[in-house]
Amino acid sequence: MNSTLAIEPSVFYFGTPVALLTTAKAGDETANITPISSAWALGDTYVLGLSNGGKAMRNLRDNGELVINLPDARLWESIERIADTTGVADVPAPKRDKYRFEPDKWTLGGFTPRPSGIVGPPRIAECPVQMEARVTNLTPLDEEGDATIVHAKVLRTHVHQALAVPGTSYVDVDAWKPMYYTFRHYFAQGERVGVNFRAER
């Protein structure tokens, strides 16, 4: 049996998918892009962890609409170009030593906006998966009020044609290569090692 050690990691990102949220406040010409790695799905609801000081959370409180864009591994450099930016002009004090204001993350990251069909914020054309969604619940993470748990119901899902299994709503799992964030490093999906009993194809 393997022995264990008690450790105190600074973060708990053992491996979570990267997502790019697009949000917009009513009247803003340019939608904001927020890279996050605290995201997971339960049914048609995405659960997102967001800092209260960021532009995304402010926009979601304003209108509750967003697009959850899932990049693949080839986009890591584009994501890293916007990683140290914030859409908040008055950069919050806890972020000032590492983040800078950037009003147009689209140009900086080399991303292309595409209109959504149901929600206001645009989709990111380069991301192979784009999910239009609407907030259904906001819950404070803790008493400090630094972050919020966001429940967002997916209303419509778009995928690049290369990922779609013809004639179905299935995603080709061999073609889909999501990006993972593991202890602040980017990883591509590795080889398939097995199949769950509930897999439909």
Side-chain angles (χ1 to χ4, degrees):
M1 181 178 292
N2 291 333
S3 60
T4 62
L5 292 173
I7 65 172
E8 297 182 6
S10 60
V11 294
F12 290 93
Y13 294 113
F14 282 87
T16 55
V18 175
L20 297 175
L21 306 185
T22 47
T23 61
K25 184 177 180 179
D28 282 359
E29 289 187 11
T30 303
N32 188 62
I33 303 175
T34 303
I36 70 167
S37 55
S38 298
W40 59 279
L42 184 60
D44 62 357
T45 294
Y46 253 79
V47 182
L48 313 168
L50 289 173
S51 164
N52 286 332
K55 186 71 169 177
M57 197 63 244
R58 297 183 186 192
N59 288 345
L60 291 180
R61 291 189 191 282
D62 179 66
N63 66 22
E65 295 185 341
L66 68 156
V67 179
I68 304 163
N69 302 274
L70 301 182
D72 58 16
R74 66 189 169 83
L75 292 175
W76 82 267
E77 290 178 301
S78 295
I79 294 169
E80 191 60 16
R81 283 198 293 272
I82 66 171
D84 66 347
T85 66
T86 176
V88 178
D90 182 14
V91 181
K95 287 188 168 187
R96 286 178 190 157
D97 61 333
K98 293 184 179 179
Y99 292 82
R100 60 188 172 80
F101 171 58
E102 174 54 58
D104 184 5
K105 298 180 189 179
W106 295 86
T107 300
L108 181 62
F111 296 116
T112 308
R114 288 289 181 265
S116 294
I118 299 175
V119 300
R123 299 174 287 130
I124 298 176
E126 289 76 14
C127 289
V129 179
Q130 309 143 15
M131 294 173 283
E132 301 182 45
R134 187 168 289 122
V135 172
T136 58
N137 191 48
L138 300 172
T139 304
L141 177 64
D142 51 34
E143 293 180 358
E144 284 74 32
D146 295 330
T148 295
I149 300 168
V150 178
H151 293 182
K153 182 179 177 63
V154 176
L155 306 173
R156 179 176 292 173
T157 302
H158 308 259
V159 299
H160 284 182
Q161 190 169 359
L163 294 185
V165 177
T168 76
S169 285
Y170 294 129
V171 169
D172 184 342
V173 295
D174 291 313
W176 171 223
K177 304 297 182 188
M179 185 192 313
Y180 291 97
Y181 191 64
T182 303
F183 292 112
R184 298 185 174 134
H185 295 258
Y186 299 108
F187 284 86
Q189 177 171 277
E191 64 178 314
R192 177 171 20 186
V193 296
V195 180
N196 180 263
F197 77 97
R198 296 180 63 188
E200 297 180 4
R201 57 174 300 273

